[in-house]
Coordinates of all heavy atoms in Angstrom, one line a residue:
M1 N 0.8 -1.2 0.0 CA 0.0 0.0 0.0 C 0.9 1.3 0.0 O 1.8 1.4 0.7 CB -0.9 0.0 1.2 CG -1.5 1.3 1.6 SD -2.5 1.2 3.1 CE -2.7 2.9 3.4
I2 N 0.6 2.1 -0.9 CA 1.3 3.4 -1.0 C 0.6 4.5 -0.2 O -0.6 4.8 -0.4 CB 1.4 3.8 -2.4 CG1 2.2 2.8 -3.3 CG2 2.2 5.2 -2.5 CD1 2.1 3.0 -4.7
R3 N 1.3 5.0 0.8 CA 0.7 6.1 1.6 C 1.1 7.4 0.9 O 2.1 7.6 0.3 CB 1.3 6.1 3.0 CG 0.8 4.8 3.7 CD 1.4 4.8 5.1 NE 1.0 5.9 5.9 CZ 1.8 6.7 6.7 NH1 3.0 6.4 6.8 NH2 1.3 7.7 7.4
R4 N 0.2 8.3 1.0 CA 0.4 9.6 0.4 C 0.3 10.7 1.5 O -0.7 11.4 1.5 CB -0.6 9.9 -0.7 CG -0.4 9.0 -1.9 CD -1.1 9.6 -3.1 NE -0.8 8.8 -4.3 CZ -1.6 7.8 -4.8 NH1 -2.6 7.5 -4.1 NH2 -1.2 7.2 -5.9
P5 N 1.2 10.7 2.4 CA 1.1 11.6 3.6 C 1.1 13.1 3.2 O 0.5 13.9 3.9 CB 2.3 11.2 4.4 CG 3.3 10.6 3.5 CD 2.5 10.0 2.4
W6 N 1.7 13.4 2.0 CA 1.8 14.8 1.7 C 0.5 15.5 1.4 O 0.4 16.7 1.6 CB 2.8 14.9 0.5 CG 2.3 14.2 -0.8 CD1 1.5 14.7 -1.7 CD2 2.7 12.9 -1.2 NE1 1.3 13.8 -2.7 CE2 2.0 12.7 -2.4 CE3 3.5 11.9 -0.6 CZ2 2.2 11.4 -3.1 CZ3 3.7 10.7 -1.3 CH2 3.0 10.5 -2.5
R7 N -0.5 14.7 1.0 CA -1.8 15.3 0.8 C -2.4 15.9 2.1 O -2.9 17.0 2.1 CB -2.8 14.3 0.2 CG -2.5 14.0 -1.3 CD -3.6 13.2 -1.9 NE -4.8 14.1 -2.2 CZ -4.9 14.8 -3.2 NH1 -4.0 14.8 -4.2 NH2 -6.0 15.6 -3.4
R8 N -2.3 15.1 3.1 CA -2.8 15.6 4.4 C -1.9 16.6 5.0 O -2.4 17.6 5.6 CB -3.0 14.4 5.4 CG -4.3 14.4 6.1 CD -4.4 13.3 7.0 NE -3.2 12.7 7.4 CZ -3.0 11.6 8.1 NH1 -4.1 10.9 8.4 NH2 -1.9 11.2 8.5
D9 N -0.6 16.5 4.8 CA 0.3 17.5 5.3 C 0.1 18.8 4.6 O 0.2 19.9 5.3 CB 1.8 17.0 5.0 CG 2.2 15.9 6.0 OD1 1.4 15.6 6.9 OD2 3.3 15.4 5.8
A10 N -0.3 18.8 3.4 CA -0.5 20.1 2.6 C -1.7 20.8 3.3 O -1.7 22.0 3.3 CB -0.8 19.8 1.2
A11 N -2.7 20.1 3.8 CA -3.8 20.7 4.4 C -3.4 21.3 5.7 O -4.0 22.4 6.1 CB -4.9 19.6 4.6
R12 N -2.5 20.7 6.5 CA -2.2 21.2 7.8 C -1.1 22.2 7.7 O -1.1 23.2 8.5 CB -1.7 20.0 8.7 CG -2.7 19.4 9.5 CD -2.1 18.7 10.7 NE -1.1 17.7 10.2 CZ -1.3 16.4 10.1 NH1 -2.4 15.9 10.5 NH2 -0.3 15.6 9.7
R13 N -0.2 22.1 6.7 CA 1.0 22.9 6.6 C 0.5 24.4 6.4 O -0.4 24.6 5.6 CB 1.9 22.4 5.5 CG 3.1 23.3 5.2 CD 3.9 22.6 4.1 NE 3.1 22.4 2.9 CZ 2.9 23.3 2.0 NH1 3.4 24.5 2.2 NH2 2.2 23.1 0.9
A14 N 1.1 25.3 7.0 CA 0.8 26.7 6.7 C 1.1 27.1 5.3 O 2.1 26.6 4.7 CB 1.6 27.6 7.7
M15 N 0.3 27.8 4.7 CA 0.5 28.3 3.3 C 1.7 29.3 3.4 O 1.8 30.1 4.2 CB -0.7 29.0 2.8 CG -0.7 29.5 1.4 SD -2.3 30.3 1.0 CE -3.2 28.9 0.4
D16 N 2.6 29.1 2.4 CA 3.7 30.1 2.4 C 3.4 31.2 1.4 O 2.4 31.2 0.7 CB 5.1 29.4 2.0 CG 5.1 28.8 0.7 OD1 4.3 29.2 -0.2 OD2 5.9 27.8 0.4
C17 N 4.2 32.2 1.3 CA 3.9 33.4 0.6 C 3.8 33.1 -0.9 O 2.9 33.7 -1.6 CB 5.0 34.5 0.8 SG 5.0 35.2 2.4
A18 N 4.6 32.2 -1.4 CA 4.6 31.9 -2.9 C 3.2 31.3 -3.2 O 2.6 31.6 -4.2 CB 5.7 31.0 -3.3
E19 N 2.7 30.4 -2.3 CA 1.5 29.8 -2.5 C 0.3 30.8 -2.4 O -0.6 30.8 -3.1 CB 1.3 28.6 -1.6 CG 0.2 27.6 -1.9 CD 0.1 26.5 -1.0 OE1 1.1 26.3 -0.1 OE2 -0.8 25.7 -1.1
A20 N 0.5 31.6 -1.4 CA -0.6 32.6 -1.1 C -0.7 33.6 -2.3 O -1.8 33.9 -2.7 CB -0.2 33.4 0.2
A21 N 0.4 34.0 -2.9 CA 0.4 34.9 -4.0 C -0.4 34.3 -5.2 O -1.1 35.0 -5.9 CB 1.8 35.2 -4.5
R22 N -0.2 32.9 -5.3 CA -1.0 32.3 -6.4 C -2.5 32.3 -6.1 O -3.3 32.4 -7.0 CB -0.5 30.8 -6.6 CG 0.8 30.7 -7.3 CD 1.1 29.3 -7.8 NE 1.1 28.3 -6.7 CZ 2.2 28.0 -6.0 NH1 3.4 28.6 -6.3 NH2 2.2 27.1 -5.1
E23 N -2.8 32.2 -4.8 CA -4.3 32.1 -4.4 C -4.9 33.4 -4.4 O -6.2 33.5 -4.5 CB -4.4 31.4 -3.1 CG -4.0 29.9 -3.1 CD -4.8 29.1 -4.0 OE1 -6.0 29.5 -4.3 OE2 -4.4 28.0 -4.3
I24 N -4.2 34.5 -4.1 CA -4.8 35.8 -3.9 C -5.6 36.3 -5.1 O -6.8 36.7 -4.9 CB -3.7 36.9 -3.5 CG1 -3.3 36.7 -2.1 CG2 -4.2 38.3 -3.8 CD1 -2.0 37.5 -1.7
Q25 N -5.1 36.1 -6.3 CA -5.8 36.5 -7.5 C -7.1 35.8 -7.6 O -8.2 36.4 -7.9 CB -5.0 36.4 -8.7 CG -5.5 37.3 -9.8 CD -4.5 37.5 -10.9 OE1 -3.4 36.9 -10.9 NE2 -4.7 38.4 -11.8
A26 N -7.1 34.4 -7.4 CA -8.3 33.6 -7.5 C -9.3 34.0 -6.4 O -10.5 34.1 -6.7 CB -7.9 32.2 -7.4
F27 N -8.7 34.3 -5.3 CA -9.6 34.7 -4.1 C -10.3 36.0 -4.4 O -11.5 36.1 -4.2 CB -8.7 34.9 -2.9 CG -9.4 35.2 -1.6 CD1 -10.2 34.3 -1.0 CD2 -9.3 36.5 -1.1 CE1 -10.9 34.6 0.2 CE2 -10.0 36.8 0.1 CZ -10.8 35.9 0.7
V28 N -9.6 37.0 -4.9 CA -10.2 38.3 -5.3 C -11.3 38.2 -6.4 O -12.3 38.8 -6.3 CB -9.1 39.3 -5.7 CG1 -9.7 40.6 -6.2 CG2 -8.2 39.7 -4.5
D29 N -11.0 37.3 -7.3 CA -11.9 37.0 -8.4 C -13.1 36.1 -8.0 O -13.9 35.8 -8.8 CB -11.2 36.4 -9.6 CG -10.2 37.4 -10.3 OD1 -10.4 38.6 -10.0 OD2 -9.3 36.9 -11.0
G30 N -13.0 35.6 -6.7 CA -14.1 34.8 -6.2 C -14.0 33.4 -6.8 O -15.0 32.6 -6.8
E31 N -12.8 33.0 -7.2 CA -12.6 31.7 -7.9 C -11.9 30.7 -7.0 O -11.7 29.5 -7.3 CB -11.9 31.8 -9.2 CG -12.7 32.5 -10.3 CD -11.9 33.0 -11.4 OE1 -10.7 32.8 -11.4 OE2 -12.5 33.6 -12.3
A32 N -11.4 31.1 -5.8 CA -10.7 30.2 -4.9 C -11.7 29.3 -4.3 O -12.8 29.7 -3.9 CB -10.0 31.0 -3.8
D33 N -11.3 28.0 -4.2 CA -12.3 27.1 -3.5 C -12.2 27.4 -2.0 O -11.3 28.1 -1.5 CB -12.0 25.6 -3.8 CG -10.6 25.2 -3.4 OD1 -10.2 25.4 -2.2 OD2 -9.9 24.6 -4.2
S34 N -13.2 27.0 -1.2 CA -13.3 27.4 0.2 C -12.1 26.9 1.0 O -11.6 27.5 1.9 CB -14.6 26.8 0.8 OG -14.7 25.5 0.6
F35 N -11.6 25.7 0.6 CA -10.4 25.2 1.3 C -9.2 26.1 1.2 O -8.5 26.5 2.1 CB -10.1 23.8 0.8 CG -8.9 23.1 1.4 CD1 -8.8 22.7 2.7 CD2 -7.7 22.9 0.6 CE1 -7.7 22.1 3.2 CE2 -6.6 22.3 1.1 CZ -6.6 21.9 2.4
A36 N -8.9 26.5 -0.1 CA -7.8 27.5 -0.3 C -8.1 28.8 0.4 O -7.2 29.4 0.9 CB -7.7 27.7 -1.8
A37 N -9.3 29.2 0.4 CA -9.7 30.5 1.0 C -9.4 30.5 2.5 O -8.9 31.5 3.0 CB -11.2 30.9 0.7
V38 N -9.8 29.4 3.1 CA -9.5 29.3 4.6 C -8.0 29.4 4.9 O -7.6 30.1 5.8 CB -10.2 28.0 5.1 CG1 -9.7 27.7 6.5 CG2 -11.7 28.2 5.1
R39 N -7.2 28.6 4.1 CA -5.8 28.6 4.3 C -5.2 30.0 4.0 O -4.3 30.4 4.7 CB -5.2 27.5 3.4 CG -5.6 26.1 3.9 CD -4.9 25.0 3.0 NE -3.5 25.0 3.3 CZ -2.5 25.0 2.3 NH1 -2.9 24.9 1.1 NH2 -1.3 25.0 2.6
L40 N -5.7 30.6 2.9 CA -5.2 31.9 2.6 C -5.5 32.9 3.7 O -4.6 33.7 4.1 CB -5.8 32.4 1.3 CG -5.4 33.8 0.8 CD1 -3.9 33.9 0.6 CD2 -6.1 34.2 -0.4
A41 N -6.7 32.9 4.3 CA -7.1 33.8 5.3 C -6.2 33.6 6.6 O -5.8 34.5 7.2 CB -8.6 33.5 5.7
A42 N -5.9 32.3 6.9 CA -5.0 32.0 8.0 C -3.6 32.6 7.7 O -3.0 33.1 8.7 CB -4.9 30.5 8.2
H43 N -3.1 32.5 6.5 CA -1.8 33.1 6.2 C -1.8 34.6 6.3 O -0.9 35.2 6.8 CB -1.4 32.7 4.7 CG -0.1 33.2 4.3 ND1 1.1 32.6 4.6 CD2 0.2 34.4 3.6 CE1 2.1 33.4 4.2 NE2 1.6 34.4 3.5
L44 N -2.9 35.2 5.8 CA -3.0 36.7 5.8 C -3.0 37.3 7.2 O -2.6 38.4 7.5 CB -4.3 37.1 5.1 CG -4.3 36.9 3.6 CD1 -5.6 37.2 2.9 CD2 -3.2 37.6 2.8
E45 N -3.5 36.4 8.2 CA -3.6 36.9 9.6 C -2.2 37.2 10.2 O -2.1 38.1 11.0 CB -4.2 35.8 10.5 CG -5.7 36.0 10.6 CD -6.4 34.9 11.4 OE1 -5.8 34.5 12.3 OE2 -7.5 34.6 11.1
H46 N -1.2 36.6 9.7 CA 0.1 36.8 10.2 C 1.1 37.3 9.2 O 2.3 37.5 9.5 CB 0.7 35.6 11.0 CG 0.9 34.4 10.0 ND1 2.0 34.3 9.3 CD2 0.1 33.4 9.7 CE1 2.0 33.2 8.5 NE2 0.8 32.6 8.8
C47 N 0.7 37.6 8.0 CA 1.6 38.0 6.9 C 1.2 39.4 6.3 O 0.2 39.4 5.5 CB 1.8 37.0 5.8 SG 3.0 37.5 4.6
G48 N 1.8 40.4 6.8 CA 1.4 41.8 6.3 C 1.7 42.0 4.8 O 1.0 42.7 4.1
W49 N 2.7 41.3 4.3 CA 3.1 41.5 2.9 C 2.0 40.9 2.0 O 1.6 41.6 1.1 CB 4.4 40.7 2.7 CG 5.0 41.0 1.3 CD1 5.8 42.1 1.0 CD2 4.9 40.3 0.1 NE1 6.1 42.0 -0.3 CE2 5.6 40.9 -0.9 CE3 4.2 39.1 -0.2 CZ2 5.6 40.4 -2.2 CZ3 4.2 38.6 -1.5 CH2 4.9 39.3 -2.4
C50 N 1.5 39.8 2.3 CA 0.5 39.2 1.5 C -0.9 39.9 1.7 O -1.6 40.1 0.7 CB 0.3 37.7 1.8 SG 1.7 36.7 1.1
A51 N -1.1 40.4 2.9 CA -2.3 41.2 3.2 C -2.3 42.5 2.3 O -3.3 42.9 1.7 CB -2.4 41.5 4.6
F52 N -1.1 43.0 2.2 CA -0.9 44.2 1.4 C -1.2 43.9 -0.1 O -1.8 44.6 -0.8 CB 0.5 44.8 1.6 CG 0.8 46.0 0.7 CD1 0.2 47.2 1.0 CD2 1.6 45.9 -0.4 CE1 0.5 48.3 0.2 CE2 1.9 47.0 -1.2 CZ 1.3 48.2 -0.9
E53 N -0.6 42.7 -0.5 CA -0.8 42.3 -1.9 C -2.3 42.1 -2.2 O -2.8 42.5 -3.3 CB 0.0 41.1 -2.2 CG 0.0 40.8 -3.7 CD 1.0 39.7 -4.1 OE1 1.1 38.7 -3.4 OE2 1.7 39.9 -5.1
L54 N -3.0 41.5 -1.3 CA -4.5 41.3 -1.4 C -5.2 42.6 -1.6 O -6.0 42.8 -2.4 CB -5.0 40.5 -0.3 CG -6.6 40.4 -0.2 CD1 -7.1 39.5 -1.4 CD2 -7.0 39.7 1.1
A55 N -4.8 43.6 -0.7 CA -5.4 44.9 -0.8 C -5.1 45.6 -2.1 O -6.0 46.2 -2.7 CB -4.9 45.8 0.4
T56 N -3.9 45.4 -2.6 CA -3.6 46.0 -3.9 C -4.4 45.4 -5.1 O -4.9 46.1 -5.9 CB -2.1 45.7 -4.2 OG1 -1.3 46.3 -3.1 CG2 -1.6 46.4 -5.5
Y57 N -4.6 44.0 -5.0 CA -5.4 43.4 -6.0 C -6.8 43.9 -6.0 O -7.4 44.1 -7.0 CB -5.4 41.9 -5.8 CG -4.3 41.1 -6.6 CD1 -3.3 40.4 -6.0 CD2 -4.4 41.1 -8.0 CE1 -2.3 39.8 -6.7 CE2 -3.4 40.5 -8.7 CZ -2.4 39.8 -8.1 OH -1.4 39.1 -8.8
R58 N -7.3 44.0 -4.8 CA -8.7 44.5 -4.6 C -8.9 45.9 -5.2 O -9.9 46.3 -5.8 CB -9.1 44.5 -3.2 CG -9.5 43.1 -2.7 CD -10.2 43.1 -1.4 NE -10.8 41.9 -1.1 CZ -10.8 41.3 0.1 NH1 -10.3 41.8 1.1 NH2 -11.5 40.1 0.2
E59 N -7.8 46.7 -4.9 CA -7.8 48.1 -5.4 C -7.9 48.1 -6.9 O -8.6 48.9 -7.6 CB -6.5 48.8 -4.9 CG -6.5 50.3 -5.0 CD -7.4 50.9 -3.9 OE1 -7.5 50.3 -2.9 OE2 -7.9 52.0 -4.1
I60 N -7.0 47.3 -7.6 CA -7.0 47.2 -9.0 C -8.3 46.8 -9.6 O -8.8 47.3 -10.5 CB -5.8 46.3 -9.5 CG1 -4.5 46.9 -9.1 CG2 -6.0 46.0 -11.0 CD1 -3.3 46.0 -9.3
K61 N -8.9 45.7 -9.0 CA -10.1 45.2 -9.4 C -11.2 46.2 -9.3 O -12.1 46.4 -10.2 CB -10.5 43.9 -8.6 CG -11.6 43.1 -9.2 CD -11.8 41.8 -8.4 CE -13.1 41.2 -8.8 NZ -13.1 40.6 -10.1
A62 N -11.2 47.0 -8.2 CA -12.2 48.0 -8.0 C -12.1 49.1 -9.1 O -13.1 49.6 -9.6 CB -12.1 48.6 -6.6
A63 N -10.8 49.5 -9.4 CA -10.6 50.5 -10.4 C -11.1 50.1 -11.7 O -11.7 50.8 -12.5 CB -9.1 50.8 -10.4
L64 N -10.8 48.8 -12.1 CA -11.3 48.3 -13.3 C -12.8 48.3 -13.4 O -13.4 48.6 -14.4 CB -10.7 46.9 -13.6 CG -9.2 46.8 -13.8 CD1 -8.8 45.3 -13.9 CD2 -8.8 47.5 -15.1
A65 N -13.4 47.9 -12.3 CA -14.9 47.9 -12.2 C -15.4 49.3 -12.4 O -16.5 49.5 -13.1 CB -15.4 47.3 -10.9
R66 N -14.8 50.3 -11.9 CA -15.2 51.7 -12.0 C -15.1 52.1 -13.5 O -15.9 52.8 -14.0 CB -14.4 52.6 -11.1 CG -14.8 52.6 -9.7 CD -14.3 53.8 -8.9 NE -12.9 53.8 -8.8 CZ -12.1 53.2 -7.9 NH1 -12.7 52.5 -6.9 NH2 -10.8 53.2 -7.9
R67 N -14.1 51.6 -14.1 CA -13.9 52.0 -15.5 C -15.0 51.5 -16.4 O -15.5 52.1 -17.3 CB -12.6 51.4 -16.1 CG -11.4 52.4 -16.0 CD -10.2 51.6 -16.5 NE -9.0 52.3 -16.1 CZ -8.3 53.1 -17.0 NH1 -8.7 53.2 -18.2 NH2 -7.2 53.7 -16.6
R68 N -15.5 50.2 -16.1 CA -16.5 49.6 -16.9 C -17.8 50.3 -16.8 O -18.6 50.4 -17.7 CB -16.6 48.1 -16.6 CG -15.6 47.3 -17.3 CD -16.1 45.8 -17.4 NE -16.0 45.2 -16.0 CZ -15.0 44.7 -15.5 NH1 -13.9 44.6 -16.2 NH2 -15.0 44.1 -14.3
S69 N -18.1 50.8 -15.6 CA -19.4 51.4 -15.3 C -19.1 52.8 -14.7 O -19.1 52.8 -13.4 CB -20.3 50.6 -14.5 OG -19.7 50.1 -13.4
P70 N -18.9 53.8 -15.5 CA -18.5 55.1 -14.9 C -19.6 55.7 -14.1 O -20.8 55.3 -14.3 CB -18.2 55.9 -16.1 CG -18.8 55.2 -17.3 CD -18.9 53.8 -16.9
D71 N -19.3 56.5 -13.2 CA -20.2 57.2 -12.3 C -21.2 58.0 -13.2 O -20.8 58.9 -14.0 CB -19.5 58.2 -11.4 CG -20.4 59.0 -10.5 OD1 -21.6 58.7 -10.5 OD2 -19.9 59.9 -9.8
P72 N -22.5 57.7 -13.1 CA -23.5 58.3 -14.0 C -23.6 59.8 -13.8 O -23.8 60.6 -14.8 CB -24.9 57.7 -13.6 CG -24.6 56.9 -12.4 CD -23.1 56.6 -12.3
E73 N -23.3 60.3 -12.6 CA -23.3 61.7 -12.3 C -22.1 62.4 -13.1 O -22.3 63.4 -13.7 CB -23.1 61.9 -10.8 CG -23.1 63.4 -10.4 CD -24.4 64.1 -10.7 OE1 -25.4 63.5 -10.9 OE2 -24.3 65.4 -10.7
A74 N -21.0 61.7 -13.2 CA -19.8 62.2 -13.9 C -20.1 62.3 -15.4 O -19.8 63.2 -16.1 CB -18.6 61.4 -13.6
V75 N -20.8 61.3 -15.9 CA -21.2 61.2 -17.3 C -22.2 62.4 -17.6 O -22.1 63.1 -18.6 CB -21.9 59.9 -17.7 CG1 -22.4 59.9 -19.1 CG2 -20.8 58.7 -17.5
R76 N -23.1 62.6 -16.7 CA -24.1 63.7 -16.9 C -23.4 65.1 -16.9 O -23.7 65.9 -17.8 CB -25.1 63.7 -15.8 CG -26.4 64.6 -16.1 CD -27.3 64.7 -14.9 NE -26.6 65.3 -13.7 CZ -26.3 66.6 -13.5 NH1 -26.6 67.4 -14.5 NH2 -25.7 67.0 -12.5
R77 N -22.5 65.3 -16.0 CA -21.7 66.5 -16.0 C -20.9 66.8 -17.2 O -20.9 67.8 -17.8 CB -20.8 66.6 -14.8 CG -21.4 66.9 -13.4 CD -20.4 67.4 -12.4 NE -19.3 66.5 -12.2 CZ -19.3 65.5 -11.4 NH1 -20.3 65.3 -10.6 NH2 -18.2 64.7 -11.3
L78 N -20.4 65.7 -17.7 CA -19.6 65.8 -19.0 C -20.5 66.1 -20.1 O -20.1 67.0 -21.0 CB -18.9 64.4 -19.2 CG -17.8 64.4 -20.3 CD1 -16.7 65.3 -20.0 CD2 -17.3 63.0 -20.6
G79 N -21.7 65.6 -20.1 CA -22.7 65.9 -21.2 C -23.1 67.3 -21.1 O -23.2 68.0 -22.1
D80 N -23.3 67.8 -19.9 CA -23.7 69.2 -19.7 C -22.6 70.2 -20.2 O -22.9 71.2 -20.8 CB -24.0 69.5 -18.2 CG -25.3 68.9 -17.7 OD1 -26.0 68.4 -18.6 OD2 -25.5 68.9 -16.5
F81 N -21.4 69.8 -19.9 CA -20.2 70.6 -20.3 C -20.2 70.6 -21.8 O -20.0 71.7 -22.4 CB -18.9 69.9 -19.7 CG -17.7 70.6 -20.2 CD1 -17.3 71.9 -19.8 CD2 -16.9 70.0 -21.1 CE1 -16.2 72.5 -20.3 CE2 -15.7 70.6 -21.6 CZ -15.4 71.9 -21.2
G82 N -20.4 69.5 -22.5 CA -20.4 69.4 -23.9 C -21.5 70.3 -24.5 O -21.2 71.1 -25.5
A83 N -22.7 70.3 -23.9 CA -23.8 71.1 -24.4 C -23.6 72.6 -24.2 O -24.1 73.4 -24.9 CB -25.1 70.6 -23.7
S84 N -22.7 73.0 -23.2 CA -22.5 74.4 -22.9 C -21.4 75.0 -23.9 O -21.3 76.2 -24.0 CB -22.0 74.5 -21.5 OG -20.6 74.1 -21.3
L85 N -20.8 74.1 -24.6 CA -19.7 74.6 -25.6 C -20.4 75.2 -26.8 O -21.6 74.9 -27.1 CB -18.9 73.4 -26.1 CG -18.0 72.8 -25.0 CD1 -17.3 71.5 -25.6 CD2 -16.9 73.7 -24.5
P86 N -19.7 76.2 -27.4 CA -20.3 76.8 -28.6 C -20.6 75.7 -29.7 O -19.8 74.8 -29.9 CB -19.2 77.7 -29.2 CG -18.3 78.0 -28.0 CD -18.5 76.8 -27.1
G87 N -21.9 75.8 -30.2 CA -22.3 74.8 -31.2 C -22.9 73.5 -30.5 O -23.3 72.6 -31.2
G88 N -23.0 73.6 -29.2 CA -23.6 72.5 -28.5 C -22.8 71.3 -28.2 O -23.1 70.4 -27.5
G89 N -21.6 71.2 -28.9 CA -20.7 70.0 -28.6 C -21.3 68.8 -29.2 O -22.4 68.8 -29.8
P90 N -20.6 67.7 -29.0 CA -21.1 66.4 -29.5 C -22.4 66.0 -28.8 O -22.5 66.2 -27.5 CB -19.9 65.4 -29.2 CG -19.1 66.1 -28.1 CD -19.3 67.6 -28.3
Q91 N -23.3 65.4 -29.5 CA -24.6 65.0 -28.8 C -24.5 63.5 -28.5 O -23.7 62.8 -29.1 CB -25.7 65.2 -29.8 CG -25.9 66.7 -30.2 CD -26.2 67.5 -29.0 OE1 -27.1 67.2 -28.2 NE2 -25.4 68.6 -28.8
P92 N -25.2 63.1 -27.4 CA -25.2 61.7 -27.1 C -25.6 60.8 -28.3 O -26.5 61.2 -29.0 CB -26.2 61.6 -26.0 CG -26.4 63.0 -25.4 CD -26.0 63.9 -26.6
G93 N -24.9 59.7 -28.5 CA -25.2 58.8 -29.5 C -24.4 59.1 -30.8 O -24.5 58.3 -31.7
E94 N -23.6 60.2 -30.8 CA -22.8 60.5 -32.0 C -21.5 59.8 -31.9 O -21.0 59.6 -30.8 CB -22.6 62.0 -32.1 CG -23.9 62.6 -32.8 CD -23.6 64.1 -33.1 OE1 -22.7 64.7 -32.5 OE2 -24.4 64.6 -33.9
Ligands
ZN101 ZN1 2.8 35.8 3.0

């Protein structure tokens, strides 16, 4: 019988930074499985470097999300500004 102790050891062993870095992106994207997420959370509790990296990923993701759906108020102000220009400026839909 072949024993595979490393599989169970991997579950118990603390996640290291290299492994955490691989999981962080999946975690932010909501693609990490719950097992990986629990181990990542445990690592982040005592690793400021990885916690900072997670915060950075979230920041980037939030910025990208803002780009895809701009603030409607900002779009309206931009439209008002265009309409105030001589000649009316570009009209919506053009
Ligand atoms: Zn770390």
Side-chain angles (χ1 to χ4, degrees):
M1 164 186 167
I2 299 169
R3 293 178 62 225
R4 293 196 173 93
W6 59 87
R7 287 192 73 86
R8 222 177 28 187
D9 285 356
R12 266 201 307 255
R13 180 176 55 81
M15 184 179 273
D16 63 22
C17 288
E19 197 177 349
R22 286 195 298 272
E23 293 296 341
I24 282 171
Q25 200 162 11
F27 182 72
V28 170
D29 291 340
E31 289 165 2
D33 59 52
S34 56
F35 178 68
V38 166
R39 293 182 66 225
L40 179 61
H43 179 84
L44 294 173
E45 269 178 32
H46 64 82
C47 183
W49 190 85
C50 287
F52 177 74
E53 190 167 44
L54 173 64
T56 303
Y57 267 116
R58 280 191 165 143
E59 196 77 25
I60 291 167
K61 195 176 165 67
L64 290 174
R66 282 196 297 271
R67 264 175 196 260
R68 274 200 294 273
S69 49
D71 179 5
E73 180 64 17
V75 173
R76 191 188 62 75
R77 280 201 307 270
L78 192 63
D80 288 351
F81 174 71
S84 74
L85 293 173
Q91 298 302 306
E94 278 184 345

